[in-house]
Amino acid sequence: MLCSALFGEHFAQCVRGDCTIRSNSEGTLGLLGVHGWLASEPEEFKRWAELSGKWRVYQPGQFLYFSGDPSDGIYGLESGSLEVTFPLVAEEPVVLHRAQVGFWVGDNGELSDTPRTISLMAATECRMLHLPRLAIRKLLADDPKHWQSFYRLATINTTVAVGLLAEALSLTLRARMCRRLLLLTDTSIDVTVTQEDLSKMLGVYRSTLRPILNKLAKSGAIELGYRRIRVIDRAILASFRDEQ
């Protein structure tokens, strides 16, 4: 699998402390109230998240955390996109996933009380809702029934990980790319991603991916632009999603 070159020897020079942090005094979940894990949780739990969460804004290239960091809670993506990476060989990271609105992360380290296993970077400007570790611990100590909500999140993320593995093992590159484009443009016809970014997500070289993208563009399925891809016909992409 092609490794990302985003991490250098100055790996730890993250400007995490410079992110904009705001209390959630407005008492709203934004798009997280209608997309993703939290949207389906009980009203009591959502109200707790509204009162306990803090909004954080990250600029492109900023890291939320690194693999090996201690857990400080969980994060929900309300706008923008995140790049999820895993250190594989000599701590050089592999891009695992490009997360979109409604994605929640951090449950693994938080529930198991172990260091982070992945690194998380803002691919574009991101608005995140942070549920702090201390608030989570107090909630669970006061009312253990809420463990089920967090385990539902863990199940969602495990399903995503297993699904990506199954795709990589059984589907053609065209099918995997079409699935990724459909996912990335679920809420918009445009995806702010370069061909290089897309090749890293799929674990191939850009030169391998380019002919497939060009054929899809000629078929009218997509339109290629500078640092973006526009989906024109989702039905064409969907017709290749199960290709083996």
Side-chain angles (χ1 to χ4, degrees), residues 193-230:
V193 62
T194 66
Q195 293 183 33
E196 183 68 20
D197 291 335
L198 191 58
S199 67
K200 290 173 182 175
M201 288 181 229
L202 296 169
V204 298
Y205 290 102
R206 181 180 175 183
S207 58
T208 303
L209 196 66
R210 190 182 300 116
I212 303 175
L213 283 170
N214 289 338
K215 286 183 179 180
L216 287 173
K218 288 181 180 179
S219 74
I222 61 174
E223 178 183 286
L224 302 176
Y226 177 69
R227 299 189 66 84
R228 69 162 180 83
I229 299 173
R230 170 169 288 185

Side-chain angles (χ1 to χ4, degrees), residues 134-182:
L134 289 178
I136 293 172
R137 294 298 168 182
K138 184 179 186 306
L139 172 73
L140 296 176
D142 292 343
D143 195 346
K145 74 180 182 184
H146 294 299
W147 273 106
Q148 288 189 332
S149 291
F150 292 106
Y151 276 114
R152 278 191 286 269
L153 171 59
T155 299
I156 290 170
N157 285 338
T158 298
T159 300
V160 170
V162 172
L164 290 173
L165 176 60
E167 289 178 8
L169 292 174
S170 63
L171 298 181
T172 66
L173 177 57
R174 179 167 62 176
R176 292 167 54 211
M177 186 178 67
C178 288
R179 282 172 174 251
R180 193 58 59 95
L181 289 175
L182 288 169

Side-chain angles (χ1 to χ4, degrees), residues 47 91 205:
R47 182 58 180 162
E91 296 189 351
Y205 290 102

